[in-house]
Amino acid sequence: MAVDTSPRSTTWTHVDGEWLSGNPPLIGPTSHAMWLGSTVFDGARWFDGIAPDLDLHCQRINRSALAMGLKPVKSAEEIAALAWEGVEKFDGATPIYIKPMYWGEHGSPGSVVSVDAESTRFALCLFEAPMGGHGGTSLTVSPYRRPSPETAMTEAKTGSLYPNSGRMIAEARGRGFDNALVRDLNGNVVETASSNVFLVRDGVVMTPAANRTFLAGITRARVMHLLRKAGFDVVEATLSVEDFLAADEIFTTGNYSKIVGVIRLDDRNLQEGPVTRKALDLYMDWAHVRSESEE
């Protein structure tokens, strides 16, 4: 029986100058991306009529393309304009995930492994995706690690990094947790399997220092800025599992669900605390005010 390849929610994709509904067949068995993983993507969010930091996500996808050895064929401004065009195809009731993508179609001359930058293709995919994270999330320390820049393309948001995240989540869920707290090769905590992570202790907000082993996200930077502006002491530092186990609060940040409180870390139960709630309030207030000021 053939696998159903239709998307699980309303989806529109812009490719080669036109909008296509559903899940259009874009990559074949000889495509470099299919065979050897030359894919990069980014993800922005639309909800409540706003798309926070859409411009920064559109800029980052082009940086990821260059890191992968691809050739950006759209400017960040062109991608953002297409995203707003795509939003109009939806009913405006459900949040949307905005996913620009680049991939390589062919290997470079003389090497099937290295991608040919001149064969770069672009697509922009939008699909309905409700905001998650309500009620908090649970974490366990993963036995798996993040690679270093010398061993993987950690400076790009590339699909090739995500199977490692996928096995982290699968292993954690097999033990009854939602997600995993992840360390680098030196044993320092860097993020979760799918988001950046913060702790709060004695009123000080701390997050793992960006050491090039993980994607220091756009929402992470936005939340750090907003908390500092609100008077909080926000510190980037080398953090251990023990630091997180001793925290008063833990929360995650990411584009998909924004700010989510952690209510369990291994055997320790926590509550969504006041700093976590404040971070979410600050973010949402900023996002809506900025949107109004740009109208």
Side-chain angles (χ1 to χ4, degrees), residues 101-225:
M101 311 172 70
Y102 286 111
W103 69 96
E105 189 61 35
H106 301 296
S108 62
S111 173
V112 69
V113 174
S114 178
V115 68
D116 181 358
E118 296 302 318
S119 73
T120 300
R121 297 188 67 192
F122 170 82
L124 175 65
C125 179
L126 284 74
F127 59 90
E128 291 183 344
M131 305 287 280
H134 303 295
T137 191
S138 61
L139 301 177
T140 182
V141 178
S142 179
Y144 305 121
R145 304 290 181 97
R146 282 284 182 242
S148 69
E150 296 83 7
T151 60
M153 198 170 295
T154 58
E155 294 184 5
K157 191 171 176 69
T158 169
S160 61
L161 293 175
Y162 279 78
N164 192 36
S165 294
R167 71 171 182 162
M168 292 171 180
I169 292 173
E171 192 276 337
R173 290 186 173 179
R175 293 192 283 116
F177 296 87
D178 298 319
N179 208 322
L181 195 66
V182 180
R183 295 164 290 175
D184 61 17
L185 294 178
N186 293 320
N188 301 309
V189 173
V190 287
E191 60 176 350
T192 78
S194 59
S195 57
N196 295 131
V197 67
F198 289 72
L199 67 81
V200 183
R201 188 171 186 185
D202 298 329
V204 178
V205 182
M206 306 183 76
T207 192
N211 63 3
R212 298 176 61 216
T213 67
F214 68 100
L215 195 68
I218 290 168
T219 306
R220 170 186 180 271
R222 181 63 62 192
V223 168
M224 291 171 64
H225 170 75

